[in-house]
């Protein structure tokens, strides 16, 4: 049931972000795209390099990740698992992105292909949708959440 809810939420977000300016004044498009890609590249490279110090500085204290299999983690657990090798990213490639920004909030819907292991489950390295959110605080962007709709290899 959680997988159906996650996928339904993803499709609702995709359908709802079709316009370039939302009714609440949120702006999407090319202006936030390069910045979003840089933020995501930083995150993915920090995970790949097991850079827990960099991740700690890049992730908001409220950060959480949710996955298509229903699992989730908060920032402290994620940092421990990246640091001790329970989360291991071998390779990744980011695909097309759609960004929206309103004030100090930035949301990025994107595709990524990643080869990684989480707590013993190997993920297959096929393109999958992701959703990340950021907030600007103290002159810098912090990631507040990541939703991963990739499924482990069978």
């Amino acid at each position: 049931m959680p997988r159906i809810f996650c996928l339904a939420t993803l499709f609702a977000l995709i359908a709802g972000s079709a316009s370039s300016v939302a009714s609440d004044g949120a702006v999407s498009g090319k202006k936030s795209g390069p910045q979003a890609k840089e933020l995501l590249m930083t995150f993915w490279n920090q995970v790949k390099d097991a850079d827990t110090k960099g991740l700690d500085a890049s992730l908001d204290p409220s950060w959480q990740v949710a996955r298509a299999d229903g699992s989730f983690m908060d920032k402290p657990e994620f940092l421990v698992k990246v640091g001790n090798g329970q989360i291991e990213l071998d390779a990744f490639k980011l695909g097309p992105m759609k960004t929206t920004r309103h004030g100090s909030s930035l949301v990025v819907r994107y595709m990524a292909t990643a080869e990684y292991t989480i707590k013993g489950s190997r993920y297959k390295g096929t393109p999958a949708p992701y959703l990340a959110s950021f907030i600007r605080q103290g002159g810098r962007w912090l990631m507040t959440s990541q939703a991963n709709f990739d499924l482990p290899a069978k």
Side-chain angles (χ1 to χ4, degrees):
M1 188 67 170
R3 186 176 316 161
I4 293 169
F5 176 75
C6 287
L7 291 174
T9 302
L10 174 65
F11 291 126
L13 288 167
I14 292 169
S17 64
S19 67
S20 62
V21 179
S23 60
D24 66 358
V27 178
S28 66
K30 295 179 183 175
K31 288 185 180 180
S32 298
Q35 187 171 44
K37 185 171 184 178
E38 180 181 333
L39 291 166
L40 289 170
M41 288 296 292
T42 297
F43 170 76
W44 283 83
N45 278 312
Q46 287 170 336
V47 174
K48 184 175 184 232
D49 297 340
D51 179 4
T52 55
K53 185 176 178 182
L55 284 164
D56 189 39
S58 298
L59 303 178
D60 187 74
S62 67
W63 183 88
Q64 293 185 41
V65 63
R67 296 187 188 88
D69 66 1
S71 65
F72 55 90
M73 280 185 220
D74 61 12
K75 179 181 174 178
E77 182 182 7
F78 183 75
L79 293 175
V80 166
K81 291 190 183 323
V82 168
N84 68 19
Q86 288 186 50
I87 295 175
E88 187 175 353
L89 175 63
D90 299 319
F92 72 92
K93 180 180 178 183
L94 301 182
M97 309 183 171
K98 173 73 173 175
T99 62
T100 55
R101 180 176 174 189
H102 184 261
S104 61
S105 297
L106 176 67
V107 178
V108 188
R109 175 178 37 89
Y110 65 104
M111 296 295 289
T113 303
E115 296 176 24
Y116 56 99
T117 304
I118 298 176
K119 297 192 271 184
S121 294
R122 186 74 185 154
Y123 286 73
K124 50 193 168 190
T126 57
Y130 288 76
L131 184 68
S133 60
F134 299 85
I135 188 165
R136 189 154 178 88
Q137 291 183 342
R140 61 192 196 108
W141 289 101
L142 298 173
M143 184 184 273
T144 58
S145 65
Q146 169 90 333
N148 169 346
F149 299 96
D150 198 1
L151 293 171
K154 293 191 178 196

